[in-house]
Amino acid sequence: MTKENIYSKMGISDEVFAFGEKILESLETRFKEIDKTAEHNQLKVIAAMQKNRVDAACFAESTGYGYDDVGRDTLERVYADCFGTEDALVRPQITCGTHALALALSANLRPGDELLSPAGKPYDTLEGVIGIRPQKGSLAEYGVKYRQVDLLADDSFDYDKIREAINSKTKLITIQRSKGYQTRETFSVEKIARLIKFVKEIKPDVIVMVDNCYGEFVECEEPSNFGADMIVGSLIKNLGGGLAPSGGYICGTRECIENCAFRLTAPGLGKEVGTNMGLMRQFYQGLFMAPTVVSGALKGAIFAANIYEALGFRCVPNATESRHDIIQAVELGSAEGVIAFCKGIQAAAPVDSYVTPVPGDMPGYESQVIMAAGAFVQGSSIELSADAPLREPYAVYFQGGITWYHAKLGILKSVQAMLDDKLLTKEKIKGEM
Ligand SMILES: *Cc1c(COP(=O)(O)O)cnc(C)c1O
């Protein structure tokens, strides 16, 4: 069967297929760069595994207290070596990214300390953690103060205000790498490195934490290679490689990680306890796969930006700019557009492909939200997924794709759904060819 034939069997019309192929031709150089980054990161992972003599014994299940868990302890050394840190905490007991971030913050802050965000508002869920939004158990309830310096109009750091905000009480500085659901740009590792250097010059002993969610392996280096005391993220995003069914990680200095371990389990117990729940093989293999998986997700994001920009929709990041995370926003301009896009993504899924996503109410959101995901791991956003609040400018955020081929199919399916729903014309697609 030819390539065209199999796509047509999957419901992709000839003109949509040809349009996609035409766009792809222009992306050869960029895809090569992505492959080079993946290659570099792949070797980094293998080197860390070889150095720590990973073997079959590491994949054994432990139970109960999990004392002397070789697999767990070795995995944490692999993470530390891979990201150039003294130590790491990588555990299935860390339930999600927010949990990992809350853990890193609460473990390293004490009453009377100040937490500073020099890059504007943090991720939504952290508002409750910090207590920006009143929340039981927040850092604010424990007497931790929060300060924030907003970005300048051009998304650059307001260095003067940051200098003013740092004082004798400033204990920890949190920097969020990915834009999440904000409209600012995602920070490159280089930009974060400059900020870390700046704040460390003012206060050498301040702890710098980077929320690394969605940024891992997008570049050849991580913020931990430039002085971040902790990098933090979720294993159902990039580093789980699509295989980890849960978990989170913190890589950082010995002292920060010790604090995190005492907070995760109990003071005095720390890293010594915690069963691996029989998940070690998935964690190791997920990390091993992660560079390739992230490269597929990146290719999907760039392909989508080029497709939709050619069709006249605003994309953030745009078709040509450099990438620092795996998230792509497309402003479709109408509720119908957003719904059709999500239908297309859902129809391309290996799991739950027969389901039709519909907008619904979500706790914490003022407008209705539509989500598309057909994932092996529930809520996994390294797998191809899309969501959108139904309000102006009707932007859909999508990310992931464990393989590039799946991401490609999802995007072609979304274009097909827009065409079938008469939100695009054949002429428009042909006009772009
Ligand atoms: C996903 C994400 C989080 C929170 O992770 P969850 O696993 O959803 O709790 C925090 N920060 C950023 C930038 C994220 O992308």
Side-chain angles (χ1 to χ4, degrees):
M1 204 184 282
T2 67
K3 208 167 163 194
E4 283 88 341
N5 274 338
I6 192 145
Y7 274 95
S8 104
K9 208 176 145 212
M10 296 298 285
I12 306 293
S13 63
D14 291 347
E15 56 271 13
V16 170
F17 176 77
F19 174 45
E21 293 305 290
K22 177 81 192 153
I23 293 283
L24 266 183
E25 278 172 26
S26 69
L27 296 176
E28 216 172 288
T29 319
R30 293 195 76 190
F31 278 25
K32 270 197 187 135
E33 281 168 28
I34 291 170
D35 288 338
K36 273 193 189 151
T37 303
E39 187 175 352
H40 177 93
N41 286 320
Q42 180 74 80
L43 299 199
K44 210 158 77 172
V45 171
I46 293 173
M49 290 192 178
Q50 291 183 348
K51 182 181 166 200
N52 291 289
R53 304 173 67 90
V54 172
D55 60 18
C58 293
F59 308 147
E61 181 174 4
S62 68
T63 54
Y65 293 109
Y67 290 140
D68 301 317
D69 185 330
V70 175
R72 179 197 68 202
D73 293 348
T74 305
L75 179 70
E76 290 178 339
R77 284 200 300 276
V78 167
Y79 263 71
D81 285 332
C82 189
F83 297 109
T85 57
E86 288 173 356
D87 207 349
L89 194 63
V90 187
R91 303 276 166 138
Q93 288 87 1
I94 300 177
T95 55
C96 61
T98 305
H99 184 193
L101 290 156
L103 175 62
L105 290 171
S106 57
N108 287 285
L109 288 159
R110 296 291 178 270
D113 286 344
E114 272 188 26
L115 165 66
L116 171 67
S117 171
K121 189 178 97 61
Y123 198 74
D124 283 20
T125 55
L126 285 190
E127 291 188 5
V129 170
I130 295 168
I132 302 170
R133 169 165 31 87
Q135 173 64 55
K136 280 207 176 87
S138 71
L139 289 168
E141 277 198 350
Y142 285 89
V144 174
K145 294 246 157 31
Y146 173 70
R147 265 177 206 263
Q148 178 177 312
V149 175
D150 289 329
L151 296 171
L152 294 169
D154 64 352
D155 284 351
S156 62
F157 301 127
D158 191 339
Y159 284 108
D160 292 335
K161 288 245 170 65
I162 294 169
R163 188 194 305 278
E164 277 171 36
I166 296 174
N167 62 62
S168 61
K169 296 212 173 94
T170 312
K171 175 78 172 292
L172 197 151
I173 291 181
T174 177
I175 305 168
Q176 183 182 312
R177 180 171 173 182
S178 169
K179 66 180 168 301
Y181 297 120
Q182 297 177 54
T183 48
R184 69 158 167 90
E185 62 170 30
T186 287
F187 304 134
S188 66
V189 172
E190 191 195 353
K191 198 167 172 184
I192 292 171
R194 253 181 284 141
L195 180 59
I196 295 174
K197 186 162 178 279
F198 178 80
V199 300
K200 291 266 181 183
E201 268 166 18
I202 297 168
K203 191 163 189 183
D205 63 348
V206 77
I207 297 168
V208 175
M209 179 189 91
V210 176
D211 174 350
N212 214 23
C213 285
Y214 287 135
E216 301 97 341
F217 289 155
V218 172
E219 299 183 48
C220 288
E221 287 175 298
E222 304 290 333
S224 47
N225 300 117
F226 297 95
D229 299 282
M230 287 186 282
I231 55 170
V232 184
S234 162
L235 295 192
I236 63 165
K237 292 182 180 174
N238 302 18
L239 291 189
L243 295 178
S246 79
Y249 76 91
I250 306 170
C251 297
T253 64
R254 194 160 289 115
E255 194 179 342
C256 285
I257 297 300
E258 183 172 52
N259 282 331
C260 293
F262 283 165
R263 180 81 189 192
L264 175 66
T265 63
L269 300 184
K271 294 182 78 181
E272 303 301 319
V273 294
T275 157
N276 69 37
M277 312 247 197
L279 294 174
M280 285 299 106
R281 190 174 53 77
Q282 285 98 312
F283 280 20
Y284 281 98
Q285 201 170 357
L287 180 66
F288 176 76
M289 292 305 297
T292 310
V293 169
V294 170
S295 75
L298 269 176
K299 287 176 185 176
I302 290 169
F303 182 55
N306 280 270
I307 289 255
Y308 278 95
E309 215 171 84
L311 294 172
F313 299 100
R314 181 169 176 260
C315 295
V316 184
N318 71 27
T320 54
E321 69 191 280
S322 68
R323 299 279 159 160
H324 308 290
D325 67 14
I326 61 167
I327 301 181
Q328 180 65 51
V330 183
E331 286 181 13
L332 293 162
S334 71
E336 294 75 25
V338 159
I339 293 168
F341 184 99
C342 289
K343 272 200 305 198
I345 295 292
Q346 190 74 39
V351 181
D352 292 335
S353 61
Y354 56 86
V355 168
T356 306
V358 290
D361 294 317
M362 285 267 293
Y365 289 85
E366 280 181 24
S367 44
Q368 289 200 314
V369 177
I370 184 165
M371 295 184 169
F376 294 99
V377 171
Q378 274 182 45
S380 166
S381 47
I382 188 62
E383 299 188 52
L384 191 65
S385 46
D387 41 87
L390 272 91
R391 61 168 136 83
E392 293 286 343
Y394 294 99
V396 66
Y397 294 85
F398 95 98
Q399 63 271 314
I402 294 196
T403 73
W404 148 239
Y405 309 108
H406 177 213
K408 176 180 173 183
L409 177 65
I411 293 148
L412 292 178
K413 277 286 218 188
S414 73
V415 175
Q416 189 69 51
M418 302 257 302
L419 190 65
D420 294 347
D421 286 0
K422 312 224 166 358
L423 301 162
L424 287 173
T425 60
K426 275 188 187 174
E427 289 66 39
K428 177 92 198 144
I429 287 168
K430 284 192 170 145
E432 295 302 332
M433 282 164 54

